[in-house]
Amino acid sequence: MRAVVQRVNCAKLTVDEKEISSIGTGYLVLVGFTCGDDRSKVDYVVDRIIKMRIFRDDEGKLNKSLADVGGEVMCVSNFTLYGDPATGRRPDFSKSAHYDEAKPLYDYALERFRAGLGKVAGGVFGGHMHIETSVDGPVTMIVEK
């Protein structure tokens, strides 16, 4: 499992010009799954993200977590995180997990974020989504297991 985490001031996700979800201060988390991923990997990655300290404290150091700032999470599936652009002009997506493998893991990731934070905004698995965001910093991390 691979997650790209961006610290944001806000994010809004739409499909066909209809708002599906939105958050204020927090993390936009793009998640991708590969063959062999399982719930234990999801548990690890979600726990790391929830406890990660990438918000500034009073001294300006990245030392506060989501809980410390009352932050939110928008978790969006993104199979292209396992795309390999090394050969040819079209990236190879063969390392991305197939729909029936990835969808239950994405749903489980949403569950785990809800369990740890109380709520989480999501996307539409497999859908063509548009995300408007105000990236803060920018601070971007990659978390994977």
Side-chain angles (χ1 to χ4, degrees):
M1 177 180 178
R2 182 174 292 160
V4 175
V5 180
Q6 289 192 304
R7 189 178 73 189
V8 299
N9 298 310
C10 60
K12 178 175 83 169
L13 185 141
T14 59
V15 174
D16 296 326
E17 299 181 22
K18 179 183 176 199
E19 185 175 319
I20 303 298
S21 61
S22 63
I23 63 168
T25 299
Y27 299 154
L28 169 61
V29 181
L30 305 176
V31 295
F33 303 96
T34 190
C35 302
D37 281 349
D38 57 22
R39 286 179 166 220
S40 68
K41 289 184 180 184
V42 173
D43 288 336
Y44 173 86
V45 170
V46 169
D47 184 64
R48 296 291 298 178
I49 291 169
I50 288 173
K51 294 178 180 171
M52 189 165 42
R53 299 181 305 168
I54 58 173
F55 288 96
R56 294 192 186 283
D57 63 15
D58 294 337
E59 296 175 14
K61 294 183 180 179
L62 299 181
N63 203 25
K64 288 189 173 188
S65 69
L66 276 171
D68 295 331
V69 300
E72 304 174 271
V73 165
M74 176 182 284
C75 181
V76 179
S77 62
N78 190 329
F79 81 97
T80 65
L81 292 181
Y82 278 99
D84 181 1
T87 60
R89 299 279 182 213
R90 181 183 179 276
D92 174 10
F93 297 107
S94 62
K95 291 183 181 173
S96 297
H98 292 281
Y99 182 96
D100 15 339
E101 218 182 327
K103 173 77 164 86
L105 293 173
Y106 173 68
D107 291 341
Y108 182 66
L110 293 175
E111 275 179 45
R112 298 304 304 145
F113 276 119
R114 278 188 198 103
L117 297 170
K119 74 171 198 167
V120 63
V124 176
F125 189 90
H128 186 92
M129 298 167 275
H130 295 268
I131 302 169
E132 294 177 46
T133 186
S134 170
V135 177
D136 183 26
V139 175
T140 303
M141 298 290 174
I142 298 172
V143 182
E144 63 184 310
K145 175 86 173 161

